[in-house]
């Protein structure tokens, strides 16, 4: 099958940048220029995480090329996009930078948002500033209709330059890996830890045989610093760790049980394929009213008594009152509460004990570790003011 996209030359000897998804499955790559010249190219390296690829034209010719921009992009700056939309051929569109540091749900890296017309086939093409420097690589569009609606996303030049340099040097990108699943620390979770504000990344799962499994890091720890730099949120932790080299030591500051601890994890190398958690939402407990926990508007039952004999620990959520704190935080019938305030629970009395303990310590919220299907997360339920 044939595929097509856009790209741009970054050096006189014929190195070309494009998107990984443009050439990911290609057995043969050909570069077409406006002058009706077509030249074969080799794929030097690909990076699925940033969706970038580096090609090298098979030719001894010297090529005109474009540089990556050095100066910082500002929202409102003019931007020119060049590419090959729908295979029509070289097309130029103009607009402005609509937003910087945009999270589009594609890994931990931020994108530029531009409103220049970008369509299918523009992928991998450059977004220029008015000095003719590349400020980004056009990679994705937001489009309920399938066509241009004025929202396009580009990989920022500074990130693209880093990735391209590594691809040129070694054909791949080497990233540090902690081997954990993480979530943001919400205001309520911060309160349950006794933190003065919400920041950091909460460890929800430690990958078996991963780097963190060999360390003293634990599920329920909130990572608030890496090598002395504050961790803003879970995406920030992923970025900071990825920027470090495999086989190096990462110094982490974590919050555990209201105390600050300093840990060291020897990083591994980020695996090629990201794990996808499989959920089993069809498993439902047997009907039962359970024991009420009035603080949060839910009823609980021991896992073994609720048709879950395979679960040694844990308490099943049997009922969630509408408009309750539990309902507001997304708890559902069938969720399993594994821990409360860091302590494993086996029956509703253990949950009550954990809640009372948090109250006695003056906490405004209680941290619950929840299992939904195969996925685990932490939820902080706010205590009513007494």
């Amino acid at each position: 099958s044939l595929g097509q996209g856009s790209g741009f030359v970054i050096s006189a000897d014929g190195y070309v940048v494009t998107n990984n998804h443009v050439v990911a499955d290609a057995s043969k790559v050909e570069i077409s220029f406006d002058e009706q010249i077509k030249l074969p190219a080799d794929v030097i390296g690909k990076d699925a995480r940033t969706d970038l690829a580096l090609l090298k034209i098979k030719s001894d010719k010297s090529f005109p090329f474009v540089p990556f921009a050095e100066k910082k992009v500002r929202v409102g700056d003019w931007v020119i996009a060049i590419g090959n939309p729908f295979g029509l051929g070289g097309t130029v569109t103009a607009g402005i930078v609509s937003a910087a540091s945009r999270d589009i749900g594609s890994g931990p890296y931020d994108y530029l948002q531009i409103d220049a017309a970008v369509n299918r086939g523009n992928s991998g093409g450059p977004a220029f500033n008015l000095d003719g420097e590349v400020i980004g690589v056009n990679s994705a569009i937001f489009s309920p209709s399938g066509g241009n609606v004025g929202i396009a996303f580009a990989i920022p030049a500074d990130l693209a330059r880093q990735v391209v340099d590594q691809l040129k040097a070694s054909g791949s990108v080497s990233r540090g890996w902690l081997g954990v699943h993480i979530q943001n620390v919400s205001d309520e979770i911060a309160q349950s830890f006794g933190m003065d504000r919400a920041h950091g990344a909460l460890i929800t799962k430690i990958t078996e045989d991963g780097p963190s499994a060999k360390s003293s890091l634990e599920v329920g720890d909130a990572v608030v610093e890496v090598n002395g730099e504050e961790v803003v949120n879970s995406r920030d932790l992923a970025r900071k760790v990825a920027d470090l080299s495999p086989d190096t030591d990462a110094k982490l500051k974590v919050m555990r049980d209201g105390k600050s601890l300093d840990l060291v994890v020897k990083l591994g190398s980020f695996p090629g394929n990201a794990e996808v958690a499989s959920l089993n939402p069809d498993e439902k407990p047997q009907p039962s009213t359970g024991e009420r926990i009035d603080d949060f508007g839910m009823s609980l039952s021991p896992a073994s008594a609720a048709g879950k004999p395979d679960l040694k620990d844990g308490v099943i959520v049997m009922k969630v009152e509408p408009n309750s704190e539990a309902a507001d935080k997304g708890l559902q019938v069938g969720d399993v509460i594994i821990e409360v305030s860091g302590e494993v629970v086996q029956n509703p009395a253990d949950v009550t004990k954990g809640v009372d303990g948090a109250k006695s310590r003056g906490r405004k919220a209680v941290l619950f570790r929840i299992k939904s299907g195969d996925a685990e997360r932490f939820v902080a339920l706010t205590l009513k003011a007494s």
Side-chain angles (χ1 to χ4, degrees):
S1 62
L2 292 174
Q4 59 191 10
S6 305
F8 53 100
V9 182
I10 59 165
S11 62
D13 54 352
Y15 279 95
V16 172
V17 172
T18 187
N19 278 150
N20 172 64
H21 76 259
V22 171
V23 297
D25 301 318
S27 56
K28 179 182 174 186
V29 178
E30 195 172 63
I31 310 278
S32 297
F33 291 89
D34 279 346
E35 298 83 11
Q36 306 302 313
I37 299 170
K38 292 186 178 182
L39 296 170
D42 290 322
V43 177
I44 300 300
K46 297 178 287 188
D47 180 44
R49 203 149 197 234
T50 53
D51 194 19
L52 287 169
L54 182 66
L55 316 178
K56 175 73 167 63
I57 301 170
K58 294 180 184 176
S59 171
D60 295 330
K61 290 175 61 177
S62 182
F63 296 90
F65 63 94
V66 291
F68 283 114
E70 297 284 350
K71 61 190 174 195
K72 191 170 175 63
V73 173
R74 299 171 302 172
V75 173
D77 282 350
W78 282 100
V79 61
I80 295 167
I82 298 182
N84 180 28
F86 303 113
L88 290 170
T91 300
V92 180
T93 53
I96 61 168
V97 176
S98 305
S101 303
R102 189 68 90 197
D103 172 13
I104 67 170
S106 176
Y109 297 107
D110 291 331
Y111 287 69
L112 294 175
Q113 182 185 325
I114 65 176
D115 70 352
V118 170
N119 287 286
R120 195 156 40 89
N122 272 102
S123 287
F128 289 102
N129 60 22
L130 294 186
D131 294 325
E133 300 164 331
V134 177
I135 62 167
V137 184
N138 300 322
S139 295
I141 59 173
F142 176 80
S143 176
S145 65
N148 168 61
V149 294
I151 299 177
F153 301 104
I155 301 158
D158 54 351
L159 174 60
R161 188 190 298 108
Q162 291 173 23
V163 171
V164 165
D165 286 348
Q166 285 204 52
L167 292 178
K168 190 172 182 179
S170 62
S172 62
V173 178
S174 179
R175 294 187 175 92
W177 182 52
L178 266 179
V180 294
H181 292 218
I182 50 180
Q183 71 179 60
N184 286 341
V185 175
S186 65
D187 289 334
E188 294 85 0
I189 289 175
Q191 289 172 356
S192 76
F193 272 83
M195 296 162 64
D196 60 346
R197 59 193 171 86
H199 66 290
L202 191 62
I203 308 294
T204 62
K205 185 178 179 181
I206 293 177
T207 306
E208 198 174 337
D209 298 328
S212 292
K214 305 176 182 74
S215 77
S216 53
L217 197 65
E218 294 180 3
V219 169
D221 287 348
V223 181
V224 293
E225 285 185 12
V226 175
N227 291 343
E229 293 186 7
E230 181 183 354
V231 173
V232 179
N233 52 32
S234 58
R235 297 179 73 245
D236 188 36
L237 176 61
R239 278 193 297 263
K240 281 182 165 62
V241 171
D243 285 345
L244 300 173
S245 299
D247 299 320
T248 60
D249 287 340
K251 296 174 184 175
L252 309 182
K253 177 170 280 189
V254 306
M255 294 295 296
R256 181 188 299 169
D257 300 328
K259 299 184 185 71
S260 174
L261 301 173
D262 292 314
L263 311 175
V264 175
V265 180
K266 186 176 183 180
L267 300 178
S269 184
F270 191 85
N273 297 317
E275 290 181 10
V276 178
S278 60
L279 300 175
N280 298 311
D282 297 332
E283 294 184 18
K284 297 287 181 188
Q286 300 301 315
S288 167
T289 54
E291 186 174 325
R292 279 182 56 83
I293 306 292
D294 289 323
D295 283 277
F296 308 121
M298 59 183 177
S299 298
L300 308 176
S301 177
S304 56
K308 294 275 187 178
D310 54 317
L311 288 175
K312 180 167 62 72
D313 298 321
V315 177
I316 299 264
V317 178
M318 307 303 295
K319 186 178 180 182
V320 178
E321 303 286 346
N323 304 317
S324 65
E325 173 66 5
D328 287 346
K329 296 295 165 60
L331 266 71
Q332 297 180 341
V333 172
D335 284 350
V336 180
I337 299 170
I338 302 169
E339 291 178 2
V340 177
S341 296
E343 298 291 331
V344 174
V345 295
Q346 294 179 321
N347 55 59
D350 293 338
V351 176
T352 302
K353 181 181 173 185
V355 172
D356 289 344
K359 286 179 180 175
S360 68
R361 293 193 297 273
R363 299 286 161 78
K364 296 178 181 177
V366 187
L367 191 65
F368 286 68
R369 183 177 168 197
I370 308 291
K371 186 179 176 73
S372 302
D374 287 339
E376 292 185 12
R377 71 188 193 279
F378 283 88
V379 175
L381 301 182
T382 306
L383 287 162
K384 295 173 184 172
S386 54

